[in-house]
Amino acid sequence: MKKMLVTGGSVFASKFIAEYFAKRDFEVFVLNRNTKPQPKGTKLIEADRMNLGTALKSFSFDIVVDVSAYTKEDIENLLSAFVSPELCGKEKYFFISSSAVYPETNPQPFKESGPTGKNIIWKDYGVNKLQAEEYLLSKKSNVHILRPPYLYGPMNNVYREAFVFECAQKKRPFYIPNEGSMKLQFFYIEDLCKIIETIIKTESAPKILNVGNEECISILDWVKTCYEVAGEKLSIKNVPSNIEQRNYFPFYNYEYALDVTLQKGLLSATKNIRDGLKESFEWYKKNKDQVKQKNFLEYIDKNFA
């Protein structure tokens, strides 16, 4: 049984990943501060990754899936907490990075071989992720960097599809930016796990890999699908472009797409977004209290209604 360390494990991506591999032939450890319920079937290493001390000195892992690193310092702290950096993912170290490492000026869809650097939308978040990538690549050879677009699916505590589900269940009209033509690219959380699982078994997988659905979806079609899976009728209210859409909508006014050609060599098909949103809605109905809400509805009621 291979030993896997998942950093985080208390919310969404890290929690889903930990439970996914715990159900398979892995002994899964999670590293977090133990402030929330732990993933099922895992073993807790209670520590703050910024102050690990001796928490990891007696451990070695075959696989590391680093979900909670956002900066070079995060990577440095984790590697230095082991007796040797090579004990931190002896076989493979996965870093969940971001599409934010690509400047918005790049030709689209963004390719792994394209330039990286500051993106004016994502600002320091993308720069920090890129510095973390570069540091990790300089310290370890068995690294795989995954760059997803927007992740979605069960356990998503981010107020994205959950916001639309809430509006649907409250039978509210939905306030949509402009005519809703801006496109979004998503990736289902279980598909991310499948990619990791495949790379674990593959010797020739790329070190840097864009991951995501091949097809993007317009805002309007995404909202329609969310209402449909919630079993409610959609009424649209269009909001003009001179109003900042992040005040009332969970995505920036920024359209981009990743080239996922390399991914298709490892995962031939991804989850249909309607089916994925159905599973998201089933989770949401039972776990509304786990979603980190924003004040979109308050803003709408004050400024539009």
Side-chain angles (χ1 to χ4, degrees), residues 222-240:
W222 178 71
V223 171
K224 281 181 178 178
T225 306
C226 287
Y227 268 70
E228 286 170 4
V229 301
E232 298 295 340
K233 185 177 179 180
L234 174 63
S235 172
I236 287 291
K237 302 286 187 180
N238 296 104
V239 181

Side-chain angles (χ1 to χ4, degrees), residues 142-153:
N142 53 347
V143 171
H144 293 277
I145 293 168
L146 305 182
R147 295 172 175 168
Y150 298 111
L151 293 171
Y152 81 104

Side-chain angles (χ1 to χ4, degrees), residues 86-139:
E86 289 309 312
L87 297 178
C88 182
K90 291 182 291 184
E91 295 183 10
K92 288 183 171 67
Y93 187 119
F94 293 87
F95 175 43
I96 309 303
S97 186
S98 171
S99 57
V101 302
Y102 297 112
E104 77 288 347
T105 52
N106 280 15
Q108 294 197 33
F110 299 149
K111 297 179 182 292
E112 294 92 342
S113 58
T116 53
K118 188 166 187 176
N119 181 299
I120 62 168
I121 301 297
W122 297 110
K123 300 176 184 176
D124 287 344
Y125 172 75
V127 173
N128 289 338
K129 281 284 192 179
L130 182 58
Q131 291 175 348
E133 288 185 8
E134 292 169 346
Y135 180 80
L136 181 58
L137 288 167
S138 73
K139 295 297 180 181

Side-chain angles (χ1 to χ4, degrees), residues 175-285:
Y175 287 80
I176 199 163
N178 301 304
E179 72 286 354
S181 62
M182 189 184 90
K183 291 187 175 180
L184 301 167
Q185 189 175 26
F186 290 99
F187 197 45
Y188 187 62
I189 184 61
E190 187 175 25
D191 287 337
L192 177 63
C193 295
K194 290 179 179 178
I195 284 285
I196 294 171
E197 188 174 22
T198 299
I199 294 176
I200 288 172
K201 302 172 184 176
T202 304
E203 292 301 322
S204 58
K207 282 188 173 294
I208 299 176
L209 186 68
N210 290 339
V211 294
N213 292 350
E214 186 173 10
E215 298 296 328
C216 297
I217 186 171
S218 72
I219 291 174
L220 180 57
D221 287 340
W222 178 71
V223 171
K224 281 181 178 178
T225 306
C226 287
Y227 268 70
E228 286 170 4
V229 301
E232 298 295 340
K233 185 177 179 180
L234 174 63
S235 172
I236 287 291
K237 302 286 187 180
N238 296 104
V239 181
S241 58
N242 64 330
I243 297 176
E244 172 53 55
Q245 72 181 46
R246 283 283 287 178
N247 290 334
Y248 64 92
F249 187 70
F251 298 97
Y252 287 108
N253 183 15
Y254 173 49
E255 179 177 296
Y256 72 92
L258 297 173
D259 184 314
V260 294
T261 302
L262 294 180
Q263 171 192 282
K264 290 171 67 178
L266 299 168
L267 185 69
S268 58
T270 57
K271 173 80 77 171
N272 175 280
I273 196 161
R274 181 181 298 273
D275 293 337
L277 286 172
K278 283 181 182 178
E279 296 186 18
S280 296
F281 181 62
E282 290 304 311
W283 177 85
Y284 167 76
K285 288 191 296 183

